[in-house]
Amino acid sequence: MRASTGDAGTGDAGAAGWSAGEAGQERQASSRPGRRGPRPAGGATISRVAEAAGVSRATVSRVMNGSTTVNPQLAERVRAAARALDYEPSVAARSLALGRTGTIALIVPDLANPLFQGVLRGLSQAAGQAGRRLLVAESNEDPHEETVLALEARRNSDGLVLASPRASDEHLVALSARLAPFVLLYRHVPGSGAPSLTVDNAAGISAILAHLTALGHRHLAYLAGPEGSAGNAERLATLRAAAAADPGLRLTVLACGSMFDDGHAAAGAVAACGASAVLAFNDMVASGALTGLHELGVRVPADVSVTGFDDIAFARYTTPPLTTASIPKNELGAQAWQRLWALMNGEGGGYDVRYQPRLLIRDSTAPLRRDA
């Protein structure tokens, strides 16, 4: 991914912020005879900028790091010398001086899932506008690997965003002091101290369920997501509660996963269970199921209705276009940056947000065939 970097802006500090000792040092530096001759090979150095501006190396360092304690006229002289010499400060040295890396980190369960690509785009764009780089890693749905990655990423960044973490609440709370500052996406963990941006999974799956039952479907199959997914647990609990409250509603839960191949592999079980409608954990699973059912000669939606969740970009281009619940993926990434930036600057992370999914009815669902 393209990295963005930027320097902090310099303030307009008055002469009062410029010490007499510093002034004397600059007068002494400017009175030294300058070296003449051909420009040495290689890039410009802080020493060459200091010599060209007639100041000390320490002053150049303060100006390049955005310090407001340097006399404004002197600071401009340093910047002019740096521009003339095409000088770029060392990122590593600057990080050591400021105690910051200029980098934030994002940990996701699976980068192949377009849901997280939307979050990645929103977070990357927002952080890039603030001159910060983004470090990205995936845990491959492994809670242990997720912990190792999160701790390592936090040591090499100024803040962390955990998207759909698979670790338990207790484990995340125990790690919270070592991970701070961090923000949680698609997960709320009481006691962690981290602001959270979540999706109302119960409301989203309930809207899909209401749509299907209104079409006359009474035997439903749920293609379950990863065991460690909090979103999967919430959706499954909502469906089971609805089935328990309605004796005429039958729910078949089929172990599946989160990716296209998982949905494709589950198509046979869907056809065998006799359900007239399928609620997939997400759009990737639903897309795989569409392909698998087609290969088996099962027509969607004439024989079986299929729904997804998330509204990833190509959900509208499947055959047929997929009925799903839409969530604001890019917005989640941008909001995560705003909260992380506040935490990194010693401010509060703001209030938790719970987004309401929006039902999008497309052509993958239809009324139950009464002759089925």
Side-chain angles (χ1 to χ4, degrees):
M1 122 172 299
R2 187 171 70 86
S4 300
T5 58
D7 293 326
T10 54
D12 292 326
W18 188 36
S19 68
E22 184 179 57
Q25 187 180 30
E26 307 316 334
R27 285 194 296 272
Q28 183 180 6
S30 61
S31 65
R32 298 190 189 105
R35 290 192 293 270
R36 296 291 182 266
R39 179 173 177 172
T45 65
I46 192 171
S47 296
R48 293 189 62 218
V49 174
E51 181 181 337
V55 299
S56 68
R57 292 178 57 190
T59 298
V60 174
S61 177
R62 285 196 291 274
V63 172
M64 292 295 101
N65 287 328
S67 172
T68 60
T69 63
V70 180
N71 178 282
Q73 290 77 25
L74 190 62
E76 180 52 37
R77 199 164 82 211
V78 170
R79 286 192 288 269
R83 287 192 296 270
L85 294 170
D86 197 23
Y87 171 70
E88 289 290 340
S90 162
V91 174
R94 189 169 186 265
S95 297
L96 287 172
L98 297 176
R100 287 194 172 188
T101 66
T103 300
I104 63 169
L106 170 67
I107 309 295
V108 302
D110 192 341
L111 274 173
N113 190 332
L115 170 68
F116 300 118
Q117 293 170 13
V119 170
L120 172 60
R121 183 178 299 108
L123 179 60
S124 176
Q125 290 175 347
Q129 290 173 1
R132 296 303 185 271
R133 300 179 302 276
L134 181 61
L135 170 69
V136 184
E138 65 174 335
S139 66
N140 197 28
E141 300 284 355
D142 184 340
H144 174 72
E145 181 69 9
E146 178 182 83
T147 298
V148 174
L149 287 172
L151 291 172
E152 180 67 20
R154 180 60 188 89
R155 283 193 291 269
N156 291 280
S157 66
D158 301 323
L160 179 67
V161 176
L162 282 175
S164 294
R166 302 316 195 202
S168 67
D169 284 8
E170 294 77 14
H171 190 59
L172 288 172
V173 169
L175 289 175
S176 59
R178 298 168 67 186
L179 296 179
F182 71 108
V183 174
L184 289 167
L185 282 185
Y186 301 119
R187 181 83 175 270
H188 175 65
V189 180
S192 67
S196 64
L197 300 166
T198 59
V199 170
D200 192 335
N201 289 287
I205 205 70
S206 292
I208 294 173
L209 175 61
H211 168 63
L212 292 174
T213 55
L215 293 174
H217 297 284
R218 306 299 292 169
H219 183 188
L220 311 176
Y222 176 60
L223 298 183
E227 290 186 4
S229 167
N232 177 67
E234 292 172 9
R235 294 170 206 175
L236 182 54
T238 301
L239 291 173
R240 282 177 167 159
D246 184 351
L249 186 63
R250 180 182 173 190
L251 176 67
T252 298
V253 179
L254 301 174
C256 191
S258 62
M259 299 306 295
F260 183 94
D261 289 348
D262 299 320
H264 184 267
V270 169
C273 77
S276 65
V278 175
L279 300 91
F281 168 67
N282 64 15
D283 293 342
M284 292 290 288
V285 170
S287 299
L290 286 176
T291 300
L293 290 170
H294 175 74
E295 292 171 354
L296 294 172
V298 179
R299 299 170 299 168
V300 177
D303 299 324
V304 177
S305 289
V306 176
T307 65
F309 204 105
D310 295 338
D311 190 33
I312 59 178
F314 63 75
R316 71 187 66 182
Y317 303 117
T318 57
T319 303
L322 189 62
T323 293
T324 187
S326 177
I327 59 178
K329 297 165 283 295
N330 286 16
E331 174 67 15
L332 281 162
Q335 288 292 327
W337 164 251
Q338 291 183 13
R339 282 157 175 74
L340 186 60
W341 175 248
L343 292 173
M344 287 163 53
N345 286 281
E347 304 170 8
Y351 53 87
D352 295 336
V353 176
R354 195 169 181 84
Y355 290 90
Q356 297 296 310
R358 181 167 56 96
L359 177 66
L360 297 178
I361 300 174
R362 298 191 179 114
D363 296 339
S364 65
T365 52
L368 173 70
R369 286 176 54 197
R370 297 301 176 184
D371 59 343

